Amino acid sequence: MNRNHFWKLLLILLLLAWSIYEIYPPTARPLVNYFQNRAVSKDATFRSILEKAQALEKQRPERSYANLEEAIGNTDIKRYFPFFQAQTDPHPTTYILNRLQREAAGKVKLGIDLAGGTSFLVQMDTNRLANDQSAGTAISQAVEVLRKRLDTFGVAEPVFQPEGNDRILIQLPGLSEQVAAEARATIQKVAYLEFRLVHPKSQELINQGITTAPGYELLTHFRTNPDGSRTPERYLVKKRPELVGGIKDAFVSRDQMGRPQISFTLNSKAADVFAKITRENVGHLLAIVLDGELQTAPRINGAIEGGSGEITGDYSEQEAFALANVLRNPLQAPVHIIDERKVDPTLGNDSIRSGIQAAIYGVIAVVVFMLVYYLRSGLVANIALLLNIIILLGVMCSIGTTLTLPGIAGVVLTIGMAVDANVLIYERIREELAVGKSMRGALSAGYDRAFGTIFDSNLTTLISSVILIFMGTGPVKGFGVTLTIGVTVSLFTSLVVTRLIFDWLLAKNWLKSLKMLHVVKGAHFDFMKWAVPAFVASWLLIVIGNGYGIFVRGHDVLGVEFAGGESVMLTFDQQHKIDVDKLRAAAKKVTGGDVLVGYQRDIASGTDTLRITARSFGKEGAQVGEKIVQELRKDFPEAKFGGETGQPSSIDRVGATVGKEIRETAILSGLVALFGILIYVAFRYEFSFAVGAVVAIIHDLLMTLGWYFLTGRELNATTVAALLTIIGFSINDTIVIFDRIREDLKLGVRGTFKEVMNKALNQTLSRTIITSGTVFLATLALYIFGGGVINDFAFTFLVGILTGTYSSIYIASALVLWWHKGRRPNIGSAQAPAQAASPARP
C-alpha cells in the first residue's frame, strides 16, 4: 500500500473509531442503578436512601429523578460523589442528580415524538421589562432561569432554544402527563413575590359583607382540611406591597407537624426592609403573594431580623419543591405558552419501534438490490453504506443533534440517496470497460468523470437541506441537520472509501473484472417525441389536484401547524369503530364549529388511530382538545377512547399567530431554495438549463401537492420537509441528465439538439431507474412500517420520487429543447459541423 493510501486508511479508521466512541452507549441506563454504581463510600445512610428510591421506583417508574430526590430529602450526598465538586454549589443535591442524569442518558438523543414528552413554545411579555432591560438580555436570562427550574424534573436532555426576540422553544422528552402539567405551571410562573400587609380589621369587615376598602383588595387562599375538602380563607390585602422580590434562596423544610413548608432567605437590601416591616407591624397579618395569588398570611409575632422566613400552607411534597424552585429562579417578565405539543411515552416507544423497523427494512432493501445488481461492486458499496450510517450517527451524537421521526426519515433517505453516487460511478466504469479500457484505467476514468456530476447533484441537494436548518423549526430543522450530515458523509464514503477498497483489490491483483447486471442495454427511446402531450397532461393534473385542494377543501387542507388550533390523536377499541359523522357531531357540541375527524391507518400493524383537528375557536378556548376527548368518552364509552387513562396519544396545540408564521416561513424557505438552485445551475451550466430545472421543481411541488390534497391529507411541518426534500431529489436527477447533455455537446456528438438530448437521456436511463428505484424502496419501507408523522412524509416523497424522475425528462429537458427552438446551444466547439453532418430527423 502506497503512502497516500496509508493515510487515507488511517483517516477512515480514526473516523470510524471516533464515531463508535461518540455513539456509545446509545441508550439510557436506569438512573437509580447508575446512582448506586457511581457512588463511593457507601454507608448505612446511603443504603437507606437507595432502598427508599427503589421502593418508589416500583410505584412510579416514570419518575426516577423525583424518586431519588424524595428519597434523599435533606441528606447531604456530597460525600458519596466527591468527584463532582458540588461543595460550592448552593443546591448540591440538584447539581449531583443532574450530572448523574446527563451521564446516564444515552448518546443518541431522542426527540419527544420518539421518547414521548412535551414541547412548549413560550413567549415573553417584553413590554413588562424595566426600561434599562433589553429583550435579548431578558430572553437569555429566561433561558437560564427556565433551565434551572425544569432541571428539578429530571429531564435528561431538555432543549432550550431562543427563537426571535421574545420566544423560547422548550422540549422535555420522556415526561408523563402528570409531570408535564407540573412543568407547564412551573414555566408560566414569574415568581413575582410580594409581601403585603393585611387590613387590621380584615375579618370583621368581611364578616359584615364588606369586601372592598380604599387601597385594599380581596384575596382568597384555600386551606386543605384533614378530610381532603378545601375551605376558602379570605383577606383584605393592601394593593401596594411593602416589599417585592429580594429572594436569595428558597428550600423545602418541615414545620412542627412534619408538613412541608418553604423556607427563604432574602438578600441584604431586602432583609433590612423586611426587618423594618416586621418591627413596625408586630401583631398584624402579613400576606405573602406569589404571581398575584395569596399563598399564606401569617401573623407577625416579632421583628424578623436576618432576612429569613417561612411560607406555610397546605402544600404537597411536589408543590413545595416546585414553589421553592420557582422562588429561587424568578423571571424578569411574564411568559405564556403559545404552542404546545404532547406525545404519550407509550406512543413514543411505539414510534421508536416502527421507525427503527422502517429504517432496517429500508437498509435491507437497498443492500440486497446493490448486491444482486452490482455483485462484487455492490458489496463494496454496501461497506461504504455501513460506514456512512456509523459516521452519520457519530457526527449527530457529537454535535448533540436530537433524533426525531423525521430524523429517522432523513437517515433512511440518506441511505437511498447515498447509493446514487455509487451508481453514477459504477455506470461510468461500465461504459469505460465497454470501450476496451483496462480495469485500472476504467476505474480511474469512472471516478474522474463521475466526480463533477456527483458534486453538482449533492451540492444542489445541500441547498435545500441547509435552508431547512436555518429556516425550519423543531422536527423540520432536525431533518435538515440529518440530511445535511448524511449527504456530506455519503460524498466521503462514495468517493474516498470505495476508491480505496478498489485500489487495494487492484494492488492485491484480486480485481481482474467487474461483472454487473445490465437491465437497460443500448436503449434508443425517442423521449422527446412525447414531450408535448406529456407536458400538457401533467399540468392538467396539477390544475385538477390543486383546484380541488383550494376550492373544494379550502381551509381544511391546512393542519393546525399552519392554521392554528389543536390536533388530537386517540387510540380506541378496534372492535368498536364509531362512525365519523357521529364523532364529528359530538365534537361540535364542544367547539361550536366545524371539526375535522378521520381515522388514520397504520399499514404495518393494521390498526386505526382517530385524528381530530379543531381550529382556534369555540367556547372551551385553548384546551378544546381535552374537552373533545371527555365528550367522546362520555358519548361512546364502548370505544374506550384514550385507553384506560383516557389521555390522548398526542396533542398539537398551535396559536393562530404561530400557525401563520410557520406558513409564511414554509413559503419563504421554498422560494429561497428555488432561487439558490437557479443561481447555481445558471452559473454551472447556462440560464436555459437553470430555468428548465426550476420550472421542473415547481411542477414537482405542485403535482405532489395535488395528489396530497386529493388523498385528503392535511399540510403540516413534516410535509414542508418532504417538499423541500423533493426539491433536492428532483434537481439531483435533473443535474445528472443535464451534465450528460453538456458532456455530449462538448464532445461534439453528431446530430440535432433533440437527438443529442435523446442520446443523453438513454445514456443515463439505467442510472435514473436504479437511483429512483433504490430511493423508492427505502421510502416505501418508511410508508409501510414507519407509522405516525413519517407516513405523511413518506407518502409525499413517494409521489415526489415518481414525479421528479418523470419531470427531469418531460419538463426540464423539454423546456431546454424548446427554449433553444431545437438548435444546439453554444456549449463546446464542434456544434456547427456536427449539425451539418446530421440533418434533423422527422
Side-chain angles (χ1 to χ4, degrees):
M1 179 178 291
N2 61 43
R3 183 179 296 274
N4 189 35
H5 287 166
F6 172 77
W7 289 112
K8 287 181 181 178
L9 177 61
L10 183 61
L11 173 64
I12 293 169
L13 293 176
L14 287 175
L15 192 57
L16 180 62
W18 172 81
S19 298
I20 294 173
Y21 171 79
E22 290 294 334
I23 296 170
Y24 185 82
T27 57
R29 290 155 287 185
L31 181 58
V32 174
N33 292 348
Y34 195 75
F35 174 83
Q36 178 184 9
N37 295 335
R38 286 283 276 150
V40 298
S41 305
K42 304 169 188 176
D43 54 17
T45 303
F46 181 86
R47 288 192 291 273
S48 175
I49 292 172
L50 186 62
E51 289 173 4
K52 185 174 181 181
Q54 290 171 338
L56 290 171
E57 193 76 357
K58 293 178 180 179
Q59 299 174 17
R60 46 187 199 190
E62 77 285 355
R63 302 195 62 176
S64 297
Y65 187 100
N67 294 338
L68 273 174
E69 191 175 43
E70 185 174 333
I72 292 167
N74 294 324
T75 305
D76 183 2
I77 61 171
K78 293 194 297 291
R79 62 183 181 275
Y80 306 124
F81 304 93
F83 39 82
F84 283 148
Q85 299 179 348
Q87 289 80 1
T88 59
D89 194 276
H91 309 288
T93 297
T94 301
Y95 175 83
I96 291 170
L97 289 182
N98 285 334
R99 287 289 301 269
L100 291 171
Q101 178 79 298
R102 284 191 289 270
E103 287 185 5
K107 291 291 188 68
V108 179
K109 294 170 60 177
L110 301 179
I112 63 169
D113 51 0
L114 293 176
T118 306
S119 170
F120 302 101
L121 182 63
V122 301
Q123 186 172 42
M124 175 175 279
D125 184 359
T126 53
N127 295 324
R128 299 276 294 275
L129 293 173
N131 292 333
D132 60 345
Q133 179 75 50
S134 69
T137 303
I139 286 292
S140 298
Q141 184 261 359
V143 168
E144 293 308 313
V145 166
L146 293 172
R147 187 190 305 277
K148 289 177 182 177
R149 288 187 184 182
L150 297 173
D151 270 348
T152 60
F153 290 97
V155 181
E157 297 291 348
V159 174
F160 296 86
Q161 179 179 312
E163 293 198 349
N165 294 324
D166 61 350
R167 294 178 183 175
I168 304 170
L169 175 67
I170 302 171
Q171 293 182 341
L172 305 173
L175 292 189
S176 64
E177 171 66 24
Q178 178 185 356
V179 181
E182 296 172 16
R184 185 187 303 112
T186 299
I187 287 171
Q188 297 188 97
K189 281 190 178 293
V190 183
Y192 191 70
L193 187 67
E194 301 170 296
F195 297 91
R196 305 195 211 170
L197 286 171
V198 177
H199 195 289
K201 297 183 178 181
S202 173
Q203 199 60 49
E204 181 182 338
L205 293 173
I206 291 174
N207 290 340
Q208 295 174 9
I210 301 173
T211 57
T212 59
Y216 289 85
E217 64 178 329
L218 184 68
L219 294 181
T220 304
H221 165 70
F222 287 89
R223 174 172 53 83
T224 304
N225 300 315
D227 62 356
S229 62
R230 293 168 66 83
T231 303
E233 294 180 343
R234 300 186 295 169
Y235 300 90
L236 280 173
V237 179
K238 260 190 176 182
K239 293 180 180 178
R240 184 173 181 177
E242 311 298 322
L243 174 64
V244 177
I247 297 289
K248 180 181 179 181
D249 193 13
F251 54 92
V252 176
S253 58
R254 304 282 173 179
D255 62 14
Q256 294 178 348
M257 303 295 294
R259 295 172 300 190
Q261 63 182 14
I262 296 90
S263 296
F264 63 86
T265 57
L266 301 171
N267 58 42
S268 58
K269 183 178 178 180
D272 293 339
V273 176
F274 191 66
K276 183 174 182 295
I277 294 169
T278 55
R279 191 182 306 117
E280 295 176 353
N281 294 279
V282 174
H284 290 80
L285 298 180
L286 182 65
I288 300 177
V289 182
L290 178 66
D291 292 338
E293 296 182 4
L294 178 62
Q295 302 297 315
T296 185
R299 187 173 301 279
I300 302 172
N301 296 319
I304 302 176
E305 308 288 347
S308 62
E310 290 83 30
I311 302 175
T312 60
D314 298 299
Y315 300 114
S316 67
E317 198 82 27
Q318 295 171 6
E319 290 171 339
F321 275 105
L323 180 54
N325 179 39
V326 169
L327 287 171
R328 285 198 300 267
N329 303 289
L331 289 168
Q332 297 178 4
V335 297
H336 57 279
I337 296 170
I338 58 174
D339 181 13
E340 180 179 348
R341 186 182 183 205
K342 183 167 53 184
V343 178
D344 184 81
T346 304
L347 180 64
N349 292 332
D350 292 341
S351 299
I352 294 174
R353 284 193 295 271
S354 61
I356 292 176
Q357 187 180 38
I360 291 173
Y361 291 156
V363 171
I364 290 174
V366 173
V367 165
V368 169
F369 174 82
M370 292 299 289
L371 276 176
V372 171
Y373 193 81
Y374 285 112
L375 305 174
R376 189 188 301 180
S377 301
L379 177 61
V380 173
N382 289 337
I383 293 172
L385 195 61
L386 178 62
L387 287 175
N388 193 327
I389 297 171
I390 295 173
I391 296 172
L392 168 62
L393 292 176
V395 174
M396 289 178 63
C397 292
S398 173
I399 64 177
T401 302
T402 300
L403 185 63
T404 60
L405 278 173
I408 290 179
V411 172
V412 176
L413 179 60
T414 297
I415 292 167
M417 296 184 73
V419 172
D420 181 48
N422 290 309
V423 171
L424 284 168
I425 293 168
Y426 293 168
E427 292 300 314
R428 282 290 193 175
I429 292 173
R430 187 203 302 272
E431 291 176 12
E432 299 299 328
L433 289 172
V435 297
K437 286 191 176 181
S438 66
M439 179 56 61
R440 187 177 297 277
L443 280 171
S444 179
Y447 275 91
D448 290 344
R449 292 197 171 192
F451 176 79
T453 308
I454 293 170
F455 182 80
D456 284 342
S457 59
N458 280 272
L459 191 59
T460 48
T461 301
L462 283 174
I463 290 175
S464 297
S465 62
V466 170
I467 288 170
L468 282 173
I469 295 174
F470 288 100
M471 302 188 68
T473 58
V476 175
K477 186 187 292 287
F479 173 80
V481 171
T482 304
L483 187 58
T484 301
I485 298 171
V487 170
T488 306
V489 173
S490 69
L491 276 172
F492 172 78
T493 55
S494 59
L495 294 173
V496 177
V497 175
T498 59
R499 181 67 185 270
L500 184 63
I501 294 174
F502 280 127
D503 285 346
W504 180 75
L505 291 173
L506 281 173
K508 292 290 184 181
N509 203 28
W510 292 345
L511 187 65
K512 297 181 179 179
S513 65
L514 273 180
K515 295 181 180 179
M516 309 175 191
L517 298 183
H518 200 177
V519 175
V520 182
K521 295 182 179 179
H524 297 285
F525 297 111
D526 187 358
F527 289 102
M528 292 297 101
K529 177 181 179 180
W530 302 99
V532 173
F535 191 91
V536 173
S538 191
W539 287 99
L540 183 62
L541 280 172
I542 286 173
V543 170
I544 293 172
N546 287 274
Y548 174 77
I550 296 170
F551 299 108
V552 178
R553 293 186 60 193
H555 198 60
D556 288 348
V557 301
L558 300 177
V560 295
E561 287 173 301
F562 291 126
E566 293 190 36
S567 178
V568 178
M569 294 289 290
L570 279 172
T571 59
F572 63 93
D573 185 344
Q574 300 291 313
Q575 302 299 319
H576 295 86
K577 190 174 181 179
I578 309 299
D579 183 72
V580 169
D581 290 334
K582 294 180 180 179
L583 296 173
R584 186 181 297 111
K588 285 179 68 173
K589 290 190 293 185
V590 175
T591 65
D594 290 335
V595 182
L596 300 179
V597 180
Y599 290 104
Q600 181 173 307
R601 174 161 285 265
D602 187 322
I603 300 176
S605 65
T607 59
D608 289 324
T609 305
L610 181 67
R611 179 191 290 273
I612 303 170
T613 302
R615 306 303 181 191
S616 295
F617 62 86
K619 56 191 178 184
E620 296 299 337
Q623 305 297 322
V624 68
E626 285 91 339
K627 298 295 182 181
I628 291 175
V629 174
Q630 293 173 13
E631 186 68 28
L632 295 183
R633 285 179 64 86
K634 184 183 73 174
D635 291 356
F636 310 103
E638 70 279 7
K640 298 180 181 177
F641 287 112
E644 297 299 326
T645 63
Q647 295 296 328
S649 299
S650 69
I651 295 180
D652 286 342
R653 184 176 294 124
V654 182
T657 302
V658 176
K660 181 181 177 183
E661 291 175 359
I662 294 174
R663 191 164 67 240
E664 292 173 350
T665 300
I667 295 172
L668 181 60
S669 60
L671 293 175
V672 171
L674 290 176
F675 180 74
I677 290 170
L678 178 70
I679 296 299
Y680 182 79
V681 177
F683 173 76
R684 287 286 290 162
Y685 296 84
E686 67 165 42
F687 190 69
S688 62
F689 285 63
V691 171
V694 170
V695 172
I697 292 170
I698 294 171
H699 163 275
D700 297 343
L701 296 177
L702 293 176
M703 180 69 81
T704 303
L705 284 173
W707 285 106
Y708 196 86
F709 296 152
L710 288 169
T711 54
R713 295 171 182 262
E714 299 175 17
L715 289 175
N716 52 47
T718 307
T719 313
V720 175
L723 291 173
L724 284 174
T725 307
I726 288 170
I727 292 176
F729 178 84
S730 177
I731 190 62
N732 185 303
D733 195 48
T734 302
I735 287 294
V736 171
I737 293 173
F738 281 179
D739 190 74
R740 183 57 70 97
I741 293 171
R742 180 178 62 175
E743 180 181 326
D744 287 349
L745 288 171
K746 286 184 175 181
L747 291 173
V749 172
R750 305 175 72 85
T752 64
F753 189 28
K754 177 182 177 182
E755 290 170 338
V756 171
M757 189 168 283
N758 272 324
K759 180 178 178 65
L761 290 170
N762 281 288
Q763 287 174 324
T764 57
L765 182 60
S766 178
R767 172 264 162 203
T768 298
I769 293 173
I770 293 170
T771 297
S772 296
T774 52
V775 178
F776 190 89
L777 285 174
T779 310
L780 186 64
L782 288 177
Y783 179 71
I784 296 174
F785 304 105
V789 71
I790 287 184
N791 187 269
D792 282 338
F793 173 91
F795 175 84
T796 308
F797 194 55
L798 283 173
V799 177
I801 292 168
L802 298 175
T803 306
T805 304
Y806 156 86
S807 71
S808 297
I809 300 172
Y810 287 113
I811 305 297
S813 299
L815 278 173
V816 174
L817 178 66
W818 298 335
W819 180 284
H820 292 280
K821 299 179 181 179
R823 301 187 185 93
R824 296 169 65 119
N826 295 322
I827 298 176
S829 58
Q831 288 80 18
Q835 188 168 349
S838 182
R841 296 179 182 176

